[in-house]
Structure formats: C-alpha cells, structure tokens
Amino acid sequence: MTKQRFDFFHEAAPPKGAEGWERMYPYYLTPQAEGRDAEDSRFWFADSMHWSRAVHPFDSIGAEAVYLGVGVNSTRSIALPTSLGLDVRVVSGLVYICPLPVTDPTEIGRRAALFGDRAGFYFQNWHDLYARWKEKMLASIAVMKGLDFHPFPEFEPEEVVKKGWGKSASWQVIENYRRLVDEFFLVWQYHFEMLGLGYGAYMVFFQFCKEAFPEIEDQTVARMVAGINGIMFRPDEELRRLAKIGVAAGLGVVLTKEATPEAIFAELATSEAGRAWHADFEATREPWFNYFSEYGFLHDQKTWNDDLSIPLQGIARYAGRLMAGENVDRPFEQLAAEQEELASEYRALLNPAEAQRFDDALNLSRAVFPYIEEHNIYVEHWTHAVFWKKVRELSRMMVAIGFFKDEEDLYYLNRFELDQALADAFQSWAIGVPPRGAAMWQGEIAKRRDIVAALRSVSITPAYGIPPKEVNDPFAVMNYGVTTERVAEWLGATVADGSTFKGIPASPGVAEGPVRIIRHEDEIAQLLPGEILVAPITAPSWASAFSVVSGVVTDIGGMMSHAAIVCREYGMPAVVSTGYASARLKTGQRVRIDGRTGVVEVL
C-alpha cells in the first residue's frame, strides 16, 4: 500500500553508532517532547541543497542563521500575507525545514495591509535600497576580515599597563568570536531583507502570465525576466578573460597542462609573459575566487582560493577551446534579443489594458531580479569564505594554546559550547592554571567523531510528517523543487520504470549523450565533450563545465534554484528535481534529456 505520511521525528531511529546525536546541537534545533504534536502535524523536507550531508555541531550555526533571517523578514518585517517563516529542525544531523502558511482570511487581510505599505516602499526605492544593501554587506565582510585570533601571550603587552587600559588585551579573542557570530547572523538577516520581495514581484508576473496564457511554460516566464549579465557570472567571466589573455600571450600550452598549480606557476615564472599573466591571476583572486565549489554551509567545503586547481581547470578548459579556434564568449546579444522577442510575442496577444499590466509586472520583476541572482555572491560566497577562514584561524589558536589537539576538533562543539571552551581557556590562562575542561572535551570529541561518521554513513531521509495534498508553497517548489509529484514518489505512490523518469523542466532544449556522474567540483575535470552532467545539485561555480557538457540533470532544485538559473543563462538544456537521477544512472549510460518537458530517457 502507498504510504499516506512519512515517519514522525520521534519514530526515526538513529543510525547504528549515532545514539545520543541530539546532545551535539543546541536543544531548540532538535525535536522536543513539548512540541511533538505540532511537529507531527507538519510536513518537513530535507534542505539537502544547502546541507548535503550531516552537519558537524558547529556547522549547525548556518541552519540557525538562515532560518532566523527568513523568519525575521517574512514574519515580522515585510509581513508576507500568506506565509510566516520556515521552521527548522536538525534530525540525525540533517537539516529539515517546514513552510508555515497563513490560512485565516482575517489574518491574511491584516498582514496584507502591512505588506502593501512596506513592500510598496521597497519597490518604489528598489535601486537605492539595493545599493545601500551592497554597502551594508561589504561593511560586514570588512568587519569579519578585521577580526584576529592570536594565542594568549605569557604577559600582557606593556601598553595595557602604561596606557591604563584596565583590561586584558587578550580579552579581544572572546569579543572577536562573539562579534564574528553576531556578524554572521546579521548578514543572514540582510540576505532575506529583499529576497522575499524579489520572489513576490516575480510571482505577481508569473501568476499574471499563467492567467493570461494558460499554456505558457514556467521556464518561458523565467526567461522573460532573468538577467543576462551580472556578478553571479563574473567569476566564470574572469576565467574566460584569463584564458584569452593567456592564449594571446602564447601561454596556452602551459595553461592546458595536466599539472599542479605549483608546477604551472613555476613554468609561468620562466617568462615575462608568464609572470605578467600570473600577476593578473593573483589580482583576480580577490574577490572573484572567494567562490565555493558547493554552497559554503559546511566548514570543509572549499573555495577556489582554497584549491587553485579548480579555477585553473576552468581556465585550461577555455584555453583549450580557444586554441581549437572556438568562441568561448556567452552570447549576450542573442540572449537579450531572445528575451525581448519572447516578451513582444506575448504582449501582442493582449489588449492595451492587459499589455500595460504585463509591462508593469515585467518591468518590476526585471528590476528586482538581479538581487535574486546576485545576493548569494555577497552572502554564501564572499561572507562565508571570510567566516570560515576566521573560524579556521580560531581553531589554529586553540590548538596552539593546547586546548585542542587537532584543528578539526573545534567543529565538534556547537557555537555555545565553543564560547564556554574559550571562556575556560582564557580564564585558566589569566589565573595561571591549565584549562579545566580540555581533557573532558577530548573525550567528548572522540565520541562525536564516531557519531558524525555514523550519521554520514546513511542516505538522506527526504521528508518527515504529514504532506499536504498539494504542494503549493512557492518557496518549496521554486527553490527546492519539492512538488506534489516528488512527494508522491518519496511516499512510493509513483515509481519510475527504470528507462524513463521525470523532473522539473528548467532550461529548454534536447540533448543526448553519455552520462557523467559528478558529486563534487573536483571531479569536473573528468567531464568529456558531449556528456550529460548528472549531479545531486550543481553550484554556480560549476559554470565553466557547461562549455563541455551537452546537458545537465540534477536530483534537487526548482525553477528558481541557482542551478536552473545558470543553465538557462548558458543556454544549456536542463532537468532539475528528478529525485534520484545520480543514484539511478551510471557514468557511461546514454540518455536523452528534454529541458522543455522534464523527461530523462535512458537509451
């Protein structure tokens, strides 16, 4: 029989060896007995787009900050009429979220009055507020960059005494840790300051199009709105630029060698042209290589700056195509012309009054859409790169003073426990005695290592609780690809026949070719021309791979996920939210994908 619901949280048994996992996380992130009835009545799905595996205790700070930011802005600031925030739980180390709709007509009306006034102010002043938003973001990033974590000295600096400070200079380590956490939470409130409004403006245009043109496809609406060239694409544009300069300078052979970054740079250093190119490369790293190969929510995810082989592989790919006489430029003019042609064709089907409504909604959507595309560069990439760098500095400091034995130890404490460990380290240093909890934490960390390993050894449970009859929450559908069909598949109501399955059509076109399963960006070098890239999810930083493959298929993600947006902008046929394509398919299998219907067929 088809299941009618998923397991409840309290029915889920932890993996063997992971018993007691709950103690690793702040209590309010884990299911609690006093909230069981409410939790059981809701539908929770895994946010595997941002947290693809069980999180270390410290890494759970992201789940806190993200959904605090959603709640503050949706529920309390702009007062979305039909939805509150997204509730969040950590279960067996995985992050689960639950949309909270507002269903009472009276409450919807009360919130709508607030929303109309507040959203109207933002829409009328969008460009100015967006410019100020960028300034706020860069200011927070600068604050984080300025935070230092140094081992405690034997004696205080002389100026503490002779300038009458009256306090320890090393107390700044405690202050800086708390400031780092505060800025992280602040940035995630900034993240959602305009995002809900941006999606709201798009949904107004989307719904108008669906009413006026009942047969219009979702991706056609998105193509009329999406930006053509913004900073979301700038890192990849920098790789193209560096490839062009390198090939023009006669460095193509060096740049396309299969060698380590150190070996490539050493060979470049033997010529003036090579040294000039390397200097340009180094200048480009800030900020454009502060770019995660995934989404930057886990401490062990790398940026391009952490692993220079990643951008060098992209440069090599473009350099190879240039040397073969190919054009590597994105067709900006063609994309812009197609966008305007689409809009003109649909506008021509309307009467003058309807055409005015169409233009008003389209222009507003286009005005706000750059934020939807670009905000993650400022937050998930630039901010997270600095945040994790500073946490690593703090971890090295804790090892240097003998509190931790290994730099990975820190991540097995949650943010509150780390505050306590810092207090122990500082107070013990000040008094002149050994830390009082270092040995205790070493024992606990050893246990938690085993727990995290056990949590990561099992497959993700996609959902918990009671699903709605129809999934109509726009955030769940547009971002995560959690649709009614996907939920039915999770419950076992629909089963793919093995040769054909379906996802969300994300970018038009038909492509046919052999499959290449890619789970991490460091595997992208394996891609061969004409292959179909199949992955749990792609990140914007994978863009250079789109110059090689003929199509993209992902397990998760919706129409407005970054994977779908990037594929459309690169003219790459794509099907997202297939559920388990990366598990169903194998490298080498030949498939045909249809980015207009969402069908993936094994040939």
Side-chain angles (χ1 to χ4, degrees), residues 239 259-265 281-282 285-286 288-294 299-315 385 392 520-525 541-542 544:
L239 300 188
T260 65
E262 293 77 15
I264 291 172
F265 295 147
F281 178 92
E282 290 296 322
R285 291 177 61 179
E286 290 292 336
W288 304 114
F289 289 4
N290 287 324
Y291 205 43
F292 280 94
S293 55
E294 295 182 66
H299 76 272
D300 52 1
Q301 292 173 339
K302 294 179 179 179
T303 66
W304 289 2
N305 270 327
D306 296 328
D307 184 357
L308 293 178
S309 68
I310 297 173
L312 285 171
Q313 286 173 7
I315 292 168
R392 287 194 294 272
H520 302 287
E521 189 174 35
D522 56 11
E523 299 172 341
I524 285 179
S541 58
W542 294 26
S544 65

Side-chain angles (χ1 to χ4, degrees), residues 270-522:
T270 62
S271 69
E272 184 176 347
R275 291 190 293 272
W277 186 92
H278 189 194
D280 193 349
F281 178 92
E282 290 296 322
T284 304
R285 291 177 61 179
E286 290 292 336
W288 304 114
F289 289 4
N290 287 324
Y291 205 43
F292 280 94
S293 55
E294 295 182 66
Y295 279 84
F297 285 89
L298 301 175
H299 76 272
D300 52 1
Q301 292 173 339
K302 294 179 179 179
T303 66
W304 289 2
N305 270 327
D306 296 328
D307 184 357
L308 293 178
S309 68
I310 297 173
L312 285 171
Q313 286 173 7
I315 292 168
R317 199 172 291 119
Y318 286 131
R321 290 181 58 196
L322 288 165
M323 293 166 70
E326 296 181 37
N327 180 12
V328 300
D329 293 329
R330 285 178 61 227
F332 295 124
E333 294 79 7
Q334 178 186 335
L335 289 169
E338 289 175 354
Q339 188 179 66
E340 290 307 320
E341 183 180 1
L342 271 177
S344 296
E345 289 174 350
Y346 282 99
R347 186 186 295 108
L349 301 175
L350 302 170
N351 64 42
E354 292 170 335
Q356 186 61 55
R357 288 179 56 205
F358 175 89
D359 284 338
D360 289 345
L362 175 59
N363 290 336
L364 179 59
S365 292
R366 286 180 174 175
V368 304
F369 211 80
Y371 179 86
I372 295 176
E373 291 185 323
E374 296 176 359
H375 73 274
N376 89 316
I377 290 288
Y378 286 89
V379 181
E380 283 96 321
H381 293 283
W382 291 354
T383 300
H384 281 204
V386 175
F387 177 77
W388 290 119
K389 179 181 179 182
K390 292 300 174 181
V391 174
R392 287 194 294 272
E393 289 177 9
L394 176 57
S395 180
R396 286 193 290 270
M397 187 213 83
M398 293 290 278
V399 171
I401 64 176
F403 198 95
F404 293 144
K405 291 183 178 179
D406 185 273
E407 290 182 15
E408 279 290 302
D409 287 355
L410 177 149
Y411 305 102
Y412 290 93
L413 280 64
N414 65 48
R415 70 182 181 97
F416 299 104
E417 293 168 339
L418 180 55
D419 193 286
Q420 290 181 336
L422 278 170
D424 178 7
F426 177 78
Q427 292 177 30
S428 299
W429 165 81
I431 296 167
V433 296
R436 288 154 279 189
M440 178 273 292
W441 274 118
Q442 286 305 313
E444 180 64 16
I445 288 168
K447 295 175 184 176
R448 292 185 180 189
R449 285 181 184 275
D450 292 339
I451 291 174
V452 171
L455 293 175
R456 289 190 167 188
S457 69
V458 297
S459 300
I460 294 176
T461 299
Y464 287 97
I466 301 174
K469 292 181 179 179
E470 294 287 333
V471 179
N472 51 26
D473 180 82
F475 192 79
V477 175
M478 291 170 58
N479 265 327
Y480 292 93
V482 178
T483 62
T484 303
E485 294 77 18
R486 185 64 53 240
V487 171
E489 183 178 279
W490 290 341
L491 285 169
T494 60
V495 181
D497 64 12
S499 62
T500 301
F501 52 94
K502 194 171 184 180
I504 295 175
S507 182
V510 176
E512 189 176 305
V515 165
R516 175 69 64 176
I517 304 293
I518 298 291
R519 301 191 182 280
H520 302 287
E521 189 174 35
D522 56 11

Side-chain angles (χ1 to χ4, degrees), residues 79-311:
L80 289 177
T82 58
S83 65
L84 303 177
L86 293 163
D87 206 357
V88 58
R89 295 291 185 276
V90 172
V91 180
S92 292
L94 295 165
V95 177
Y96 290 85
I97 57 176
C98 170
L100 299 173
V102 179
T103 57
D104 177 57
T106 301
E107 181 62 13
I108 290 173
R110 189 172 75 93
R111 294 178 64 83
L114 284 171
F115 176 79
D117 176 62
R118 297 179 181 192
F121 173 80
Y122 262 84
F123 291 145
Q124 291 166 15
N125 300 278
W126 188 269
H127 295 295
D128 176 57
L129 291 170
Y130 187 24
R132 288 164 55 186
W133 182 90
K134 293 177 182 178
E135 292 174 359
K136 290 186 296 189
M137 282 299 310
L138 294 175
S140 279
I141 292 170
V143 168
M144 288 187 179
K145 284 183 176 179
L147 301 176
D148 291 320
F149 298 100
H150 298 299
F152 307 135
E154 182 181 7
F155 298 105
E156 293 283 3
E158 189 175 89
E159 55 265 31
V160 169
V161 177
K162 295 188 176 180
K163 291 188 177 181
W165 285 13
K167 67 173 187 177
S168 169
S170 293
W171 178 251
Q172 190 176 50
V173 170
I174 307 292
E175 292 177 332
N176 285 353
Y177 169 67
R178 293 172 180 171
R179 183 68 184 272
L180 182 66
V181 169
D182 288 346
E183 290 294 330
F184 187 76
F185 274 80
L186 179 62
V187 159
W188 272 100
Q189 292 179 64
Y190 291 160
H191 178 283
F192 289 101
E193 177 186 353
M194 303 171 79
L195 190 60
L197 294 169
Y199 282 129
Y202 176 77
M203 285 304 298
V204 169
F205 179 66
F206 180 87
Q207 290 167 355
F208 174 88
C209 289
K210 286 294 186 178
E211 293 171 4
F213 320 113
E215 296 183 4
I216 195 170
E217 296 169 346
D218 292 1
Q219 61 184 275
T220 302
V221 181
R223 288 170 62 201
M224 284 191 278
V225 171
I228 303 299
N229 189 27
I231 65 168
M232 177 180 178
F233 305 100
R234 180 69 180 274
D236 187 50
E237 292 298 328
E238 289 296 320
L239 300 188
R240 296 169 195 257
R241 183 185 67 80
L242 288 165
K244 289 178 183 178
I245 292 172
V247 171
L251 302 170
V253 173
V254 180
L255 296 177
T256 55
K257 281 186 176 180
E258 291 188 11
T260 65
E262 293 77 15
I264 291 172
F265 295 147
E267 188 164 350
L268 289 170
T270 62
S271 69
E272 184 176 347
R275 291 190 293 272
W277 186 92
H278 189 194
D280 193 349
F281 178 92
E282 290 296 322
T284 304
R285 291 177 61 179
E286 290 292 336
W288 304 114
F289 289 4
N290 287 324
Y291 205 43
F292 280 94
S293 55
E294 295 182 66
Y295 279 84
F297 285 89
L298 301 175
H299 76 272
D300 52 1
Q301 292 173 339
K302 294 179 179 179
T303 66
W304 289 2
N305 270 327
D306 296 328
D307 184 357
L308 293 178
S309 68
I310 297 173

